[in-house]
Amino acid sequence: MTAKLEESGPVAHAGTADAIKSLRGLLNTAIRGKQEVVELVLACLLARGHLLLEDLPGLGKTTLARTLANALGGRYARVQCTPDLMPSDITGFNMFNQKTREFDFCEGPIFANVLLADEINRATPRTQSALFEAMAERQVTIDRATHRLPQTFFVVATQNPIDSHGTYPLPEAQLDRFAMKLSIGYPARATEIEILARHVGQRDQSSSSETAISSESLFELQEQIANIAVAEKVNRYLVDLAEATRRHPEVSIGLSPRGLLILQRVAQARAFLNSRRFVTPDDVQDVAGPVLSVRLAGDFSSPDSVIDAILADVPTPLWD
Amino acid sequence: MRAKSAWNRPSWVLVGISTLMLQLALFDRQGWVVGEWVQLGIAVFLVFVVHAASGRQWERRGQLVTAMCFAVLIILPFAWDAFQRSTADWGQPFEIQLVLALRNMMLGLVAQRGTASNKAFAALASCFLALFSILWLMNGWTVALLFVYTIVGMWWLMGVYWDGLSSCLPSHSERCVPWRPIGFAVALGGLIAGLLLPIAKGRQFTTAIAGILPSSGGTRWSDEFAYGGVGDGPQMVSAKEDASSFGPIESELFLESKMPSLYDCFNEFSNPPPKHRTKGRRRAIPLAPNLMKQNHQKRGSNKQAGREFNTVRQRKHETPHVADLRSHALLQVAGRVPVHLGLYSYDLWDGHRLAASNRTPARALRFDTSSGDRRSWARYADAAEDDLLTYRDRHEIRIINLKTERVPSPPNCIGVHIDKLHTANLFRVTQDGMLVMEGGQIPQLSVMHVESLQRSASDTPQLAKSSSNARVDTEDVDTKDIDALAREWTTGVDDGWQKVETICQRLRREFVLDAEHMAPADVDDVAAYFLFESKRGPDYLFATSAALLIRSLGYETRVVSGFYADPEHYDRQSRLTPIYVDDAHFWVEVLAQAPGSESSKTRGFHWLPVEPSPGYQVLLAPESLWSQWVSRAAVTWHALKRNPIPVLACLAVCMAAWVKRAAVGDFLVTRWWEVHHRWGDARYRVIATLRLLDRRARVRGFPRPKGSPVERWQLTAAAREADDDTWSGPFRDLANWALYGEDAPLEFTPHQVSSLCRDAVAGAFRPPRKRSVPTSRRFERTNA
């Protein structure tokens, strides 16, 4: 688990390895002392998933999302979700052009490479549902016209878990379209001291605007990751995990087949980031927590204990 | 998959139990046959190969190897049988070969990994084999195994059913084991088994289902190695036209026979006895006249009153012809052996001859149809168990080649039965206390059922003292020396049975049984000559001397001649013990009295056999399991006491091995790894290394949790080891590749793989000791 892509292993080409290294560096600069979170964000990005950041205010959710958006290049859009936000405010709308006597389509912010949906749970369910098609199929259908989104379309949504006034919990269908849910958490004491020291003399907090990887390179990387090998016994292990989530007494909604595919893909990305050409159960277990926590529903306060119990209960494949 | 694999273990248990039952049945039938165990060993080896080949480490070659192993497993019994028939003149019937092939296939199926349907087929085959085995051999062990098999089988069936049912339930339903139905089913099964067991132990059960089983031809017309099948056995047909059709009783074809009698058997060994003057007889009667029962019933008469046996004989020295070397059995005995089958008793001795006084109290026979086996028995009127004779035994005797009217009967015989014979008048009791069949000789091939009572080995009989007028000494026989010898041998020994045992043990220990050594004709007392001069001789001299010695102490004795069913002759295939001419034998019987029968004058007196001849044993009641354990423990304890130094040395070695068990086990496993890990490819070698490390970690107290991947677990466990950096090196990548990188190229050279494996084995999880420096750091990962 210590072998990273910057070791320029045989899995990635030198160019892509440098891009990943640069991207990792930018994120680690924006969010200090959270290397494991950064690795998971990278895995989510490379797996073509969408990311939900859930944490308390002021822990760097927006900073991380903005830095990531800037680092990926392409078009970046941010939507500050509010209760009066309408679906057309996100997807766009057809406007009648008086001159041409025709309807012109005005693209919404969703037509971006990276969409930051800040405080997504403050939007109404009607507005949230506007993201369904875009997140699952990377396209938007408005007035019988389907508009394709960029291949590297990536949604980073944030939400505040404790401030429930005026919020609308995300529906399960929406949650299942996110690849993973991450919590950044408080930094360590030494990290906080370092953050304070680095911000002395700076007028405001500004995220880096440096681009680490182009959309085309990112798309190639995502294609490459899809070809990471998964052994049959690892696939069986994935299915065992899914069945265990469906059988667990505290879980009412287990892992769906779409969630299973996402788990496999994120594990592939994790193996790629660990410079490996194949997936191991360690990769699966590394990403199982954030991937499962976003989509398991049931009678529990925190899904972490349930996920830990499932991971401990399902036998990992060895030489059998 | 988890649910399916959970039921693999019961499949193994079912297969294991059925295999054990089959092996027990085979062992009971054919005894210790080395070739069969070699065949089983080959089959087990192939099963292990199937188990290994069905894993992933052999990749594509696994399928080919598995198919070849299955082919060999199925062909093996037939090929092995052909080999044995050609080389060792021994073989198995065809149905047994089929069963062995099924056993091998069942073991192979259950050993193959990853296929649930194979486990189901294996369980089905195990069911057939278990039923086959229990029908073949029904004893305590197989019944107990079948009981366990039934419980595990029910558990397995319910588990399989539950697995199938759970797939139909909603995904969020809770899965739990149905303890209540299982408990109910187990209780019901136990109740049914408890009700059926007494029935199953009877002969009717096995007889009724014997015809269902396939047979290779019971008459062996098609296969000389065939076992008994339909058409033979105890229910034989009458021989009305052809003698070869085997008629046991009704056939008159066998009534006229010139077969030899018991006396002819003894005469085969020796020339006719010399003429000798009649001396005064030393007489003794078993019971005093005041103990004799006044019986007004018809009393059996000895047609050959004054029958004698002269102990002065000369051995025949004839050159045997080749045709004479093959001895035909006189009798066949089914039942527990060794058993003495008495024909004549003697209680008179004149120094040369044994004779019967014909003054044994008369005993009456009655016809008994109240037996639970629905047979008609001719029983002694006063025959019943008491505190001395506690065990009722039964033997079946088939008269083959013996011309006699006397029924060869075990000591304390209480009844006799012949099939289709519904009268007791055909039997009578002779004046020397033996059972006789009226109407001439017992028809050849008659099957006679005899019941007898036996005492327990743990009981010490109370001997009946002879009355003052029970012995009649004559002037011609000087018994002073024998009396003195008996007193000398029994000095300091408690009165009663201990003295009898002391005398017999002395004779068995210090005297030589030599059938060739006959007493000279010119001695006055052959017994004295045997005791004081020759100290060797045939069994009748042992018996006569023992009877005189015991009698001199005041106990009633008699000498009995008959046959000794030697357990060495037991034929496992036919389950019969043949009795040959050589088994004609003499022994002694001592009159004992059952505890609590002092008030009765007739009841409770029994003739108990004792055996003074070396190499012969007396049949006693079977010991209970606890008694067997106690006696074996006593024997073991005495053996330990006799050999203290080797025992202490073994104990020291065992204790050292126990203290150092981790190191010893690791040494053995590591040596095995060194041998076998070279056979396979790189992946096989790495996995063999991982298995070794897994075992070591388990022994060291770091067992891998089932949900923990090997890398994560090894890193955690390795962190507890102070200087173990095996898993931080390239071996971790190698292990991941071997386990999960199916088609990924290997990034190490074969030499590096070997070195990394050796370093891992040399360093990881070893018992604490000085370790070699790992060389893994010398290797850099290279691109394939």
Side-chain angles (χ1 to χ4, degrees):
Chain A
M1 291 205 298
T2 57
K4 304 297 181 190
L5 208 62
E6 60 262 29
E7 294 172 0
S8 66
V11 178
H13 300 297
T16 56
D18 289 342
I20 296 293
K21 179 180 177 182
S22 174
L23 186 57
R24 182 183 285 127
L26 287 174
L27 293 178
N28 279 324
T29 304
I31 305 294
R32 294 191 171 274
K34 296 291 178 186
Q35 286 84 356
E36 188 59 28
V37 173
V38 169
E39 290 301 317
L40 290 171
V41 169
L42 288 177
C44 180
L45 172 69
L46 297 177
R48 299 189 76 195
H50 303 289
L51 178 64
L52 176 63
L53 293 172
E54 181 184 81
D55 218 327
L56 299 173
L59 290 180
K61 300 187 295 292
T62 309
T63 304
L64 174 64
R66 197 169 59 236
T67 305
L68 182 62
N70 292 334
L72 293 180
R75 184 180 170 190
Y76 163 63
R78 170 173 175 162
V79 177
Q80 187 64 45
C81 296
T82 57
D84 58 350
L85 188 68
M86 300 300 290
S88 57
D89 295 337
I90 296 176
T91 58
F93 52 87
N94 287 318
M95 187 175 68
F96 186 73
N97 192 329
Q98 297 283 352
K99 294 180 180 176
T100 60
R101 309 297 292 177
E102 290 180 347
F103 283 96
D104 292 339
F105 179 64
C106 298
E107 294 182 344
I110 203 168
F111 289 87
N113 293 86
V114 177
L115 172 67
L116 171 59
D118 204 12
E119 302 280 353
I120 189 173
N121 56 340
R122 294 195 178 278
T124 61
R126 179 186 175 196
T127 308
Q128 291 172 7
S129 303
L131 291 170
F132 280 11
E133 185 182 7
M135 293 176 71
E137 303 171 33
R138 287 184 165 77
Q139 65 183 22
V140 176
T141 303
I142 301 169
D143 293 342
R144 293 180 292 176
T146 299
H147 307 275
R148 305 293 304 180
L149 297 178
Q151 286 293 337
T152 57
F153 175 69
F154 180 50
V155 176
V156 182
T158 69
Q159 69 174 1
N160 185 347
I162 60 168
D163 189 5
S164 59
H165 291 291
T167 62
Y168 304 91
L170 295 178
E172 282 75 13
Q174 174 82 331
L175 289 172
D176 200 42
R177 283 165 169 77
F178 283 103
M180 61 172 66
K181 181 169 71 174
L182 287 177
S183 294
I184 297 175
Y186 289 107
R189 177 181 173 83
T191 307
E192 283 190 306
I193 293 173
E194 183 190 350
I195 291 171
L196 291 175
R198 289 178 63 88
H199 280 75
V200 172
Q202 291 187 8
R203 203 173 71 179
D204 55 1
Q205 298 179 27
S206 60
S207 58
S208 171
S209 59
E210 183 182 347
T211 300
I213 186 169
S214 64
S215 297
E216 294 74 18
S217 299
L218 178 61
F219 183 68
E220 287 179 6
L221 268 178
Q222 290 172 337
E223 292 285 321
Q224 190 177 346
I225 283 166
N227 291 320
I228 293 289
V230 185
E232 184 188 350
K233 64 173 92 172
V234 178
N235 273 336
R236 287 202 299 265
Y237 176 61
L238 286 166
V239 176
D240 288 345
L241 281 178
E243 290 178 346
T245 62
R246 297 162 195 163
R247 285 199 306 263
H248 198 279
E250 296 181 20
V251 178
S252 58
I253 299 178
L255 189 62
S256 64
R258 176 167 54 196
L260 189 60
L261 287 171
I262 291 175
L263 179 60
Q264 185 195 46
R265 182 59 57 86
V266 177
Q268 286 176 302
R270 180 75 174 188
F272 177 84
L273 291 172
N274 284 334
S275 304
R276 219 181 302 110
R277 298 174 187 273
F278 50 87
V279 176
T280 69
D282 286 274
D283 299 323
V284 176
Q285 292 201 354
D286 286 343
V287 301
V291 172
L292 295 180
S293 63
V294 75
R295 47 184 46 85
L296 292 190
D299 185 18
F300 46 78
S301 57
S302 169
D304 294 341
S305 59
V306 174
I307 294 169
D308 290 343
I310 289 173
L311 290 178
D313 191 46
V314 176
T316 51
L318 284 179
W319 38 76
D320 295 330
Chain B
M1 292 303 296
R2 175 174 167 269
K4 288 176 181 174
S5 62
W7 296 110
N8 288 346
R9 199 164 297 167
S11 304
W12 272 103
V13 176
L14 292 177
V15 168
I17 293 175
S18 61
T19 305
L20 184 58
M21 291 176 67
L22 179 65
Q23 295 307 126
L24 282 175
L26 284 173
F27 179 74
D28 179 77
R29 177 56 65 104
Q30 64 195 21
W32 181 267
V33 180
V34 177
E36 291 304 310
W37 293 98
V38 172
Q39 186 195 160
L40 179 63
I42 296 173
V44 170
F45 172 76
L46 291 172
V47 166
F48 274 109
V49 174
V50 168
H51 185 69
S54 57
R56 299 297 304 174
Q57 61 265 36
W58 284 25
E59 296 179 339
R60 295 179 182 84
R61 284 181 296 168
Q63 295 181 1
L64 179 62
V65 173
T66 303
M68 289 177 61
C69 286
F70 268 104
V72 175
L73 279 171
I74 294 172
I75 295 172
L76 179 63
F78 306 101
W80 190 265
D81 188 76
F83 172 73
Q84 282 196 323
R85 289 184 187 224
S86 61
T87 58
D89 194 22
W90 192 89
Q92 296 270 29
F94 181 67
E95 66 266 20
I96 301 303
Q97 298 171 36
L98 282 176
V99 167
L100 292 177
L102 181 65
R103 178 201 66 187
N104 293 351
M105 193 177 69
M106 174 187 72
L107 291 172
L109 285 174
V110 81
Q112 196 177 12
R113 285 183 282 203
T115 48
S117 57
N118 284 4
K119 304 294 186 295
F121 280 118
L124 190 65
S126 75
C127 180
F128 174 80
L129 287 186
L131 291 175
F132 182 88
S133 305
I134 197 66
L135 294 179
W136 212 16
L137 172 66
M138 185 176 289
N139 60 19
W141 290 104
T142 52
V143 170
L145 283 172
L146 185 67
F147 186 70
V148 177
Y149 180 92
T150 308
I151 292 176
V152 179
M154 284 194 296
W155 178 269
W156 179 82
L157 278 175
M158 280 187 286
V160 172
Y161 170 74
W162 199 253
D163 269 352
L165 194 65
S166 64
S167 62
C168 305
L169 294 176
S171 60
H172 61 275
S173 67
E174 183 179 358
R175 179 186 174 187
C176 62
V177 180
W179 290 109
R180 187 171 296 179
I182 288 174
F184 177 75
V186 170
L188 185 64
L191 183 64
I192 295 172
L195 292 174
L196 287 180
L197 268 181
I199 303 172
K201 280 188 174 179
R203 291 181 58 86
Q204 295 89 347
F205 179 75
T206 51
T207 304
I209 55 181
I212 300 174
L213 291 178
S215 166
S216 54
T219 54
R220 302 183 180 175
W221 58 269
S222 62
D223 187 352
E224 59 177 329
F225 300 110
Y227 294 154
V230 181
D232 61 6
Q235 303 297 327
M236 290 180 288
V237 298
S238 300
K240 295 179 179 176
E241 297 179 356
D242 183 6
S244 63
S245 60
F246 220 50
I249 47 176
E250 290 88 354
S251 172
E252 62 276 12
L253 294 175
F254 295 94
L255 295 183
E256 295 297 329
S257 172
K258 296 179 180 179
M259 296 299 174
S261 67
L262 175 64
Y263 275 81
D264 298 322
C265 298
F266 288 115
N267 290 335
E268 275 194 9
F269 294 132
S270 55
N271 294 318
K275 298 293 183 183
H276 197 272
R277 64 185 178 88
T278 304
K279 289 186 175 182
R281 287 175 174 169
R282 183 184 185 188
R283 297 178 180 276
I285 59 176
L287 285 179
N290 59 346
L291 297 179
M292 293 175 63
K293 182 181 179 182
Q294 294 299 321
N295 198 319
H296 299 288
Q297 296 181 9
K298 179 185 178 183
R299 183 170 175 175
S301 61
N302 194 337
K303 289 183 176 178
Q304 298 184 19
R307 181 185 287 272
E308 295 174 338
F309 183 82
N310 196 321
T311 57
V312 179
R313 290 167 174 256
Q314 292 296 323
R315 192 73 174 174
K316 277 185 179 178
H317 293 286
E318 297 176 354
T319 305
H321 300 288
V322 176
D324 299 334
L325 294 178
R326 184 178 176 86
S327 172
H328 295 283
L330 305 176
L331 309 169
Q332 285 177 331
V333 178
R336 295 196 307 137
V337 287
V339 64
H340 293 75
L341 300 175
L343 288 176
Y344 300 96
S345 70
Y346 314 91
D347 53 1
L348 300 179
W349 170 250
D350 66 352
H352 286 86
R353 286 184 293 271
L354 288 166
S357 65
N358 297 329
R359 296 179 63 184
T360 303
R363 301 179 72 189
L365 289 171
R366 63 182 174 84
F367 188 60
D368 180 16
T369 57
S370 60
S371 176
D373 57 3
R374 301 178 182 177
R375 297 178 190 273
S376 304
W377 288 83
R379 294 187 193 277
Y380 288 106
D382 55 351
E385 292 94 334
D386 54 24
D387 293 339
L388 178 60
L389 302 180
T390 55
Y391 181 73
R392 184 178 292 226
D393 205 353
R394 185 175 292 184
H395 290 85
E396 294 170 21
I397 300 168
R398 180 181 294 170
I399 306 295
I400 302 292
N401 200 16
L402 183 66
K403 180 183 178 184
T404 180
E405 60 181 3
R406 298 199 168 208
V407 177
S409 48
N412 297 299
C413 177
I414 59 171
V416 60
H417 159 78
I418 295 180
D419 194 25
K420 298 185 174 69
L421 195 62
H422 304 293
T423 174
N425 297 329
L426 198 63
F427 299 99
R428 62 179 173 81
V429 184
T430 63
Q431 290 178 343
D432 60 345
M434 294 298 168
L435 201 58
V436 168
M437 188 173 178
E438 292 279 16
Q441 299 153 9
I442 301 174
Q444 196 179 22
L445 300 176
S446 295
V447 177
M448 314 181 75
H449 302 255
V450 289
E451 266 191 351
S452 59
L453 298 176
Q454 281 138 22
R455 69 179 179 88
S456 170
S458 57
D459 296 338
T460 302
Q462 178 185 349
L463 298 186
K465 278 283 187 179
S466 61
S467 58
S468 58
N469 57 351
R471 291 172 45 179
V472 180
D473 291 337
T474 63
E475 296 177 354
D476 295 336
V477 179
D478 182 11
T479 62
K480 291 178 182 176
D481 293 339
I482 292 178
D483 293 348
L485 184 65
R487 284 193 299 274
E488 178 193 337
W489 282 3
T490 58
T491 302
V493 179
D494 294 339
D495 287 342
W497 188 255
Q498 283 78 11
K499 287 193 173 182
V500 173
E501 282 194 330
T502 302
I503 289 173
C504 291
Q505 286 171 5
R506 198 80 182 250
L507 285 169
R508 292 160 69 99
R509 192 169 60 242
E510 298 179 2
F511 289 71
V512 178
L513 179 64
D514 184 359
E516 303 291 333
H517 192 89
M518 305 290 185
D522 54 350
V523 295
D524 291 336
D525 189 344
V526 176
Y529 169 79
F530 169 75
L531 286 171
F532 298 106
E533 294 184 30
S534 68
K535 296 194 174 182
R536 63 168 56 224
D539 54 355
Y540 51 79
L541 289 184
F542 277 84
T544 307
S545 303
L548 292 175
L549 287 166
I550 297 170
R551 189 179 292 180
S552 69
L553 297 175
Y555 305 114
E556 296 293 345
T557 62
R558 67 178 184 182
V559 176
V560 181
S561 66
F563 295 103
Y564 177 76
D566 195 340
E568 294 292 326
H569 297 162
Y570 178 68
D571 182 15
R572 290 181 178 275
Q573 210 162 10
S574 63
R575 302 189 183 192
L576 295 173
T577 305
I579 293 178
Y580 301 99
V581 174
D582 301 346
D583 294 320
H585 182 54
F586 279 77
W587 64 92
V588 181
E589 289 186 349
V590 184
L591 189 66
Q593 191 173 11
S597 64
E598 287 80 2
S599 59
S600 173
K601 293 183 178 179
T602 54
R603 284 183 174 273
F605 289 92
H606 306 290
W607 287 105
L608 300 184
V610 291
E611 192 51 82
S613 303
Y616 291 86
Q617 300 292 330
V618 174
L619 182 65
L620 298 171
E623 292 184 64
S624 65
L625 197 60
W626 172 248
S627 302
Q628 291 179 27
W629 279 108
V630 169
S631 60
R632 285 172 191 170
V635 170
T636 308
W637 172 245
H638 289 305
L640 294 179
K641 281 204 313 185
R642 281 198 303 271
N643 307 292
I645 295 178
V647 169
L648 288 176
C650 287
L651 275 178
V653 170
C654 291
M655 287 181 65
W658 174 255
V659 171
K660 294 287 183 185
R661 59 187 183 280
V664 172
D666 185 71
F667 175 81
L668 295 176
V669 173
T670 306
R671 297 291 84 77
W672 169 244
W673 171 84
E674 286 178 352
V675 170
H676 84 98
H677 94 286
R678 304 170 190 275
W679 296 346
D681 54 7
R683 194 183 303 275
Y684 178 78
R685 278 181 282 167
V686 176
I687 288 180
T689 307
L690 287 172
R691 285 177 180 273
L692 176 62
L693 299 184
D694 182 80
R695 183 194 175 280
R696 279 187 185 171
R698 206 167 53 244
V699 172
R700 289 294 304 276
F702 308 129
R704 188 184 68 86
K706 64 176 181 180
S708 179
V710 63
E711 179 182 344
R712 191 185 303 261
W713 159 67
Q714 292 281 18
L715 285 172
T716 308
R720 301 182 201 176
E721 300 266 311
D723 55 347
D724 191 349
D725 56 353
T726 304
W727 283 88
S728 61
F731 183 73
R732 180 198 62 189
D733 301 326
L734 189 60
N736 277 329
W737 168 82
L739 289 173
Y740 310 111
E742 288 180 338
D743 299 323
L746 178 61
E747 299 173 359
F748 299 90
T749 64
H751 177 63
Q752 286 176 323
V753 171
S754 298
S755 299
L756 287 170
C757 290
R758 276 199 299 271
D759 287 346
V761 170
F765 302 116
R766 297 216 71 157
R769 64 170 189 173
K770 187 178 179 181
R771 290 178 298 191
S772 60
V773 177
T775 57
S776 60
R777 295 169 192 151
R778 296 199 298 267
F779 294 106
E780 299 291 336
R781 279 177 46 190
T782 58
N783 292 335

